[in-house]
Amino acid sequence: MALPVEEWRRSAARCWAVLEPALRERLAAAPLGEALRMGCGLFGPEEAALQRLCRRARTGKEPAAARFYREEGNRQFGRCCYRDAVRLYSQAAAHEPPRSPEVALCFANRSAALFHLGHFEVCLEDIARAESHGYPDRLLPKVLLRKAECLLRLGKLQDATDTLTAVENKMTVDGIMTSPIHRMLLKKLSQLKTEIHEGSCPEPAREAHGDIQRESEIWEENGSISGASSSLSLNFSTERGRHLVASQDILPGQNLLKEKAFVSVLCPGEGDSLLLQDSSETVWDTRVTNADLYCHHCLKQLLASIPCCGCSYAKYCSQNCADVAWEQYHRTECPLGALLLTLGVFCHVALRTVLLAGFSEVSRLVEWSRDDSNKDLCNAEAGGEHPSEVLDTRAGRKVIPGCNDNGQYQSSYQAVFNLLPHVEKHSPEHKFLCMLSIVAICKKLQETGLEAAVLNGESSTTGSEQKTCGKTSDELSPELMIMAEAMLRHVLQLQCNAQAITVMQELGPHRCRMRVAERQQLLSQYFFECRCQACLDELESDVESVSMRNSFCCPSCQASMQGEEMLCCSNEACAFSVSRERLSQRLLDLQQQMEKALELLRDSKADEAIKMLLKCQIDARNFLSPEHLLMGELEDHLAQVYATLGKWQEAARHLGRSIQLVEMHHGPSSVEMGHELFKLAQILFNGFAVSEALSTIQRAEEILSVHCGPQSTQIQELQEMKTCLLELPRSILQRT
């Protein structure tokens, strides 16, 4: 949710609608600081509605929720669903108060699930957490035996021996050796001691979540742009703002940027809307959300999360991430969790940006932007010309906004601050919504006594122990007003500058897959109109390149059909005409027949599938152009059926025809081409066509390594096939 929840958007829209027209005009034209000052007075009537919405966001510690998740985790553990159990125990730990026996139980239970998953190092970390959080003394032997077994599995025999000695001493001191649980522990203890004595411990386990070492890359750092390739240069125009331009030819797959984001916030997924439910409900949901999957600081995938001490929402991959996050920003955000979830990611990012930058730097740049002599630098979009740089009249030289005094770009708050907010292009209603939302955050900071920490960077303890001796005035302090102005600027910047990574997709917007109107619509939120050659050609010719080859042909003479609703043959000697609806229905019927053929293949009726596909092919040739993508799909399906029958040459022949059409539509270096070549490599490999297979593998590798990365499963399989072929006897390689 980049924007606030729908109810708050509606509330802000109603507030805007009842304002006097003159006040709306003043707000729309006012500088950001002045708009915020007016907004402080307008926020009061809306505050109660926002507070009601925030009560739906459940971000606090709830012991009842902890019990629910722990019991659900026990159920999943009993069903041997250990991965689900780990997640549920993590959710339980997030709701327990820190340094309590209850949270220790969560960590101990989670360690058991991790042990069964083979994550022995992480299991040991959870055991240590359980002990440090006050795990009950009477239950320690069971956990320590698990610790010894982990050490044994990791090949740490001496540590395992020492732990077993500690267990044995503990059980002897306790003096209770007759209960079933203790007899079981004694049996386990004896078994582990025997394994150590006989040296029968398994090979040290390799952790299941280790990173794969990437291949070395050629990289030449840019001398004036931090984190950029030397193939780039930095320009500025009043239309596009600060932007990169290729200064030399760029190879496919070449890395251009290696810049860490100045600020990042975990995007709530659809599942995180579960946090925004009626607070009167007492049913907790066990579905997975982004908050359960990724570290809230470094965004790495979570295995066994470390919960925040003050809230149930933030979770981390390590204690280090938790500590760094707390010191840098979360000590302020923690008590505001419900408000930030309600107001959306843009407001959250804006707050975190100013917290990371610090009041001193924020104040310096806000004051600088208010200086009349810097208006051209801050609001260059309002200008008319398109210079590559902006003139700094005081220094008498040209600079690019956001660069340092030497004209070098570095990842810094100054670089972020100088991104164009496009204030003039946002709708007045949207700016009003953003302004009210920022006022709400700053009011909360002031009321809860967090203002001093924000302005001075003071350290504090946990979210539950924050001071509450704040102000309730309608006015914001001058210092907080500076922070608010910067935050509002950042919220407006985010819509047209931020990148939200929600899913990794291979097939992005491209002229071969998407019409020009759709491509331009995707760019509208950035206030950017693409002027690349492909877009210009399509806009000027009024011809949709995506549909040119996917056209119908005349069933009578096979010439192309033209028209909108009623199609007429382009051959003047042929008078055939037909409605587009009729041919579209015929196309739909053909696709349904193709799906039936694939169902036959899944039912091991390959011969029948071939007959149906060949019939579909004859039908398609009667009304589809030879270049239609469906013709390629038919060839691909036929190749699949023949490969199932082990007829490799026939499969390769049909797939070759499919590849020709894919190349025609998507280009020789497209990801679609890479996938087709991957399939052809498999067929040639299985058909023992060694030389053809090796050349196809090389082509597929070159394409897929660019689109999917060198560590993708397809690249790995291609490399395994190549290794296998190259290990064949030389005589066979020469014959083939």
Side-chain angles (χ1 to χ4, degrees), residues 537-603:
D537 290 345
E538 291 180 50
L539 288 168
E540 291 172 2
S541 64
D542 293 326
V543 175
E544 300 287 6
S545 66
V546 173
S547 59
M548 282 177 62
R549 298 189 180 100
N550 285 333
S551 59
F552 297 115
C553 70
C554 175
S556 177
C557 68
Q558 274 64 58
S560 62
M561 300 294 289
Q562 297 176 341
E564 295 297 328
E565 298 302 320
M566 183 60 67
L567 300 176
C568 300
C569 181
S570 59
N571 182 3
E572 295 180 358
C574 179
F576 183 82
S577 64
V578 65
S579 69
R580 180 178 293 276
E581 182 181 6
R582 183 174 176 181
L583 289 184
S584 296
Q585 183 59 49
R586 192 172 173 184
L587 177 61
L588 181 61
D589 293 341
L590 180 62
Q591 290 171 323
Q592 291 173 345
Q593 289 297 309
M594 291 168 61
E595 183 55 40
K596 288 181 181 179
L598 293 179
E599 289 178 9
L600 289 172
L601 179 60
R602 287 190 286 269
D603 292 337

Side-chain angles (χ1 to χ4, degrees), residues 477-724:
S477 68
E479 295 83 6
L480 207 50
M481 185 63 74
I482 288 174
M483 298 293 272
E485 184 173 337
M487 288 165 62
L488 181 53
R489 179 183 180 91
H490 296 322
V491 169
L492 297 175
Q493 286 173 333
L494 282 164
Q495 181 170 326
C496 43
N497 288 286
Q499 300 294 326
I501 302 172
T502 54
V503 64
M504 297 300 289
Q505 293 180 328
E506 286 184 354
L507 304 179
H510 192 276
R511 65 188 295 266
C512 296
R513 308 183 190 102
M514 189 178 288
R515 292 177 172 84
V516 63
E518 296 174 273
R519 301 199 302 272
Q520 295 285 356
Q521 178 61 33
L522 286 176
L523 293 171
S524 62
Q525 79 170 80
Y526 302 102
F527 306 115
F528 176 73
E529 182 180 357
C530 181
R531 308 297 293 173
C532 76
Q533 197 59 48
C535 287
L536 291 174
D537 290 345
E538 291 180 50
L539 288 168
E540 291 172 2
S541 64
D542 293 326
V543 175
E544 300 287 6
S545 66
V546 173
S547 59
M548 282 177 62
R549 298 189 180 100
N550 285 333
S551 59
F552 297 115
C553 70
C554 175
S556 177
C557 68
Q558 274 64 58
S560 62
M561 300 294 289
Q562 297 176 341
E564 295 297 328
E565 298 302 320
M566 183 60 67
L567 300 176
C568 300
C569 181
S570 59
N571 182 3
E572 295 180 358
C574 179
F576 183 82
S577 64
V578 65
S579 69
R580 180 178 293 276
E581 182 181 6
R582 183 174 176 181
L583 289 184
S584 296
Q585 183 59 49
R586 192 172 173 184
L587 177 61
L588 181 61
D589 293 341
L590 180 62
Q591 290 171 323
Q592 291 173 345
Q593 289 297 309
M594 291 168 61
E595 183 55 40
K596 288 181 181 179
L598 293 179
E599 289 178 9
L600 289 172
L601 179 60
R602 287 190 286 269
D603 292 337
S604 302
K605 299 177 181 178
D607 291 334
E608 294 180 42
I610 288 175
K611 290 178 182 178
M612 183 169 286
L613 287 171
L614 290 174
K615 183 177 180 300
C616 289
Q617 199 173 48
I618 294 171
D619 187 25
R621 287 170 180 161
N622 285 330
F623 74 104
L624 297 179
S625 66
E627 298 86 9
H628 199 288
L629 265 179
L630 198 73
M631 303 298 288
E633 289 181 34
L634 278 165
E635 297 287 359
D636 188 275
H637 294 334
L638 282 166
Q640 184 181 351
V641 180
Y642 282 117
T644 303
L645 295 172
K647 297 182 178 180
W648 307 114
Q649 289 185 341
E650 194 70 13
R653 183 170 62 84
H654 284 285
L655 196 56
R657 294 172 183 167
S658 172
I659 288 173
Q660 290 176 357
L661 288 174
V662 167
E663 184 172 2
M664 185 185 300
H665 279 268
H666 300 295
S669 301
S670 63
V671 67
E672 291 90 348
M673 188 68 173
H675 290 320
E676 289 298 297
L677 288 169
F678 175 77
K679 288 186 280 188
L680 181 59
Q682 289 178 313
I683 288 172
L684 294 170
F685 176 85
N686 290 323
F688 212 59
V690 178
S691 59
E692 295 93 332
L694 287 171
S695 61
T696 303
I697 288 170
Q698 183 177 350
R699 288 181 63 197
E701 272 189 296
E702 291 171 355
I703 296 172
L704 292 175
S705 61
V706 170
H707 292 281
C708 309
Q711 302 301 331
S712 69
T713 54
Q714 287 182 315
I715 291 293
Q716 305 242 347
E717 186 173 338
L718 287 167
Q719 290 173 346
E720 289 171 4
M721 287 192 288
K722 180 166 64 175
T723 300
C724 183

Side-chain angles (χ1 to χ4, degrees), residues 40-188:
C40 288
L42 297 170
F43 174 68
E46 308 303 319
E47 187 171 7
L50 182 58
Q51 288 175 348
R52 285 194 298 272
L53 291 173
C54 290
R55 283 195 287 270
R56 303 186 313 172
R58 310 176 78 150
T59 60
K61 302 283 188 183
E62 298 184 63
R67 287 193 297 273
F68 169 80
Y69 287 121
R70 190 167 62 246
E71 290 168 3
E72 285 296 311
N74 292 342
R75 271 191 277 273
Q76 294 301 323
F77 187 91
R79 296 169 184 160
C80 300
C81 299
Y82 301 118
R83 198 167 296 280
D84 290 335
V86 167
R87 177 176 52 81
L88 289 161
Y89 290 139
S90 296
Q91 288 177 297
H95 280 281
E96 295 285 13
R99 296 175 294 279
S100 66
E102 290 78 18
V103 77
L105 284 172
C106 294
F107 290 137
N109 290 356
R110 191 171 71 182
S111 74
L114 289 165
F115 177 84
H116 284 286
L117 290 170
H119 295 289
F120 303 119
E121 292 280 8
V122 187
C123 175
L124 289 172
E125 292 172 7
D126 259 2
I127 291 172
R129 291 187 190 105
E131 291 183 89
S132 66
H133 282 75
Y135 189 68
D137 189 67
R138 59 185 174 81
L139 300 176
L140 268 178
K142 185 178 180 181
V143 173
L144 291 176
L145 281 174
R146 185 179 305 135
K147 177 180 179 180
E149 194 163 0
C150 281
L151 293 167
L152 184 63
R153 297 291 184 95
L154 292 168
K156 300 178 180 180
L157 300 186
Q158 186 57 53
D159 291 340
T161 301
D162 295 342
T163 303
L164 286 177
T165 301
V167 175
E168 198 166 20
N169 293 337
K170 172 71 177 167
M171 295 176 68
T172 302
V173 171
D174 288 346
I176 305 174
M177 312 295 291
T178 57
S179 67
I181 184 68
H182 278 78
R183 285 197 296 269
M184 182 194 73
L185 291 175
L186 284 170
K187 182 179 179 181
K188 187 68 175 177

Side-chain angles (χ1 to χ4, degrees), residues 36 40 438-439 442-443 446 473-478 480-481 484:
L36 284 162
C40 288
I438 294 303
V439 168
C442 292
K443 289 272 190 174
Q446 191 165 266
S473 169
D474 285 342
E475 297 293 327
L476 296 177
S477 68
L480 207 50
M481 185 63 74

